[in-house]
Amino acid sequence: MARYTGPQCKLCRREGQKLYLKGDRCYTGKCGIDRRSYAPGQHGQGRKKVSEYGLQLREKQKARRFYGVLEKQFRNYYFTAARQPGVTGENLLRLLERRLDNVVYRLGLGASRNEARQLVRHGHFIVNGRKTNIPSFLVRVGDEITVRERSKESPRVKELIERAADNTAPAWLEYDAEQIKGRVVALPSREQIDAPVQETLIVELYSK
């Protein structure tokens, strides 16, 4: 399965803001964008005039990197969102939020989306009683996400379970710390999605 394996901090620096791709490290002084708040590369500190297309492209890249999705898959999400009733940009973000790796992260069972994705791939989670190891699996209202019994013995999973007990899940999810179970209670609205992107620019880009 294809995924980006390069430096994470360079992505945040390129977009000019924190995308919280490395979990706890992003909240420390080691964060790359705190140390070097300019774009990577030889000409990163140069002042550039950005065109309308450039702004649209940056928003699309930012959204891709925020959710850890490659270009082809992101484009497919867009065309799926465009076919759905409602506002295309909001439909797109709603699809991305419903990814299993993102839901695991939102529940606090992963320090970052990358870690959540890896845990899902390794089969640590069960959706509606069935082991699911596909990060792009789209959850639906009523779906229940639990940690596999064998996985609860893993030191890292134990640490994340303790962490999730103090985490505040978004309103469209609910988490039972005693049963270590999350549940999708509604589809996320735009106000409940904290992705730092202007989705209208992405729609304009793909509408050309």
Side-chain angles (χ1 to χ4, degrees):
M1 182 180 61
R3 63 187 177 90
Y4 175 78
T5 58
Q8 301 290 331
C9 290
K10 278 189 176 182
L11 302 183
C12 295
R13 289 176 58 205
R14 182 63 188 90
E15 302 309 331
Q17 67 183 101
K18 289 189 179 186
L19 301 180
Y20 300 97
L21 303 178
K22 300 196 76 170
D24 295 336
R25 181 188 175 100
C26 297
Y27 298 95
T28 69
K30 293 182 178 180
C31 176
I33 198 168
D34 286 342
R35 292 185 297 169
R36 292 178 289 181
S37 58
Y38 50 86
Q42 180 179 358
H43 305 291
Q45 297 185 66
R47 300 181 68 179
K48 296 181 180 179
K49 183 178 179 181
V50 182
S51 66
E52 180 183 359
Y53 171 77
L55 289 172
Q56 295 167 351
L57 180 63
R58 288 267 58 85
E59 287 303 308
K60 187 263 292 183
Q61 295 292 74
K62 190 192 303 180
R64 279 207 313 105
R65 291 163 175 174
F66 188 73
Y67 287 102
V69 178
L70 294 184
E71 179 60 39
K72 183 177 180 180
Q73 192 173 21
F74 189 85
R75 192 186 310 118
N76 289 338
Y77 280 128
Y78 172 80
F79 289 126
T80 300
R83 290 193 297 268
Q84 295 176 343
V87 182
T88 299
E90 294 183 10
N91 290 342
L92 173 62
L93 292 181
R94 195 172 293 117
L95 285 171
L96 293 167
E97 280 289 310
R98 289 171 53 204
R99 285 174 55 96
L100 180 58
D101 55 357
N102 180 74
V103 172
V104 168
Y105 168 70
R106 294 293 193 192
L107 291 172
L109 294 171
S112 66
R113 286 180 178 82
N114 281 337
E115 182 177 36
R117 178 190 181 108
Q118 184 181 53
L119 292 170
V120 172
R121 285 298 295 161
H122 289 180
H124 291 296
F125 294 96
I126 294 173
V127 179
N128 298 331
R130 300 186 65 175
K131 186 177 83 170
T132 306
N133 61 359
I134 302 172
S136 61
F137 176 86
L138 295 180
V139 300
R140 295 177 293 183
V141 176
D143 283 356
E144 294 186 347
I145 300 96
T146 58
V147 178
R148 196 176 61 163
E149 283 300 321
R150 282 179 55 189
S151 300
K152 293 177 183 177
E153 302 304 314
S154 164
R156 179 55 181 164
V157 174
K158 283 182 178 180
E159 183 181 338
L160 290 169
I161 289 173
E162 293 176 2
R163 177 195 186 108
D166 298 324
N167 179 66
T168 302
W172 59 282
L173 298 172
E174 66 178 27
Y175 181 70
D176 186 332
E178 292 187 3
Q179 297 187 30
I180 315 175
K181 178 172 67 176
R183 184 169 176 270
V184 182
V185 295
L187 293 180
S189 65
R190 182 61 183 97
E191 293 73 27
Q192 296 167 336
I193 300 173
D194 63 358
V197 297
Q198 298 180 53
E199 64 275 11
T200 54
L201 293 178
I202 301 174
V203 175
E204 290 173 8
L205 176 66
Y206 280 114
S207 299
K208 289 183 182 292

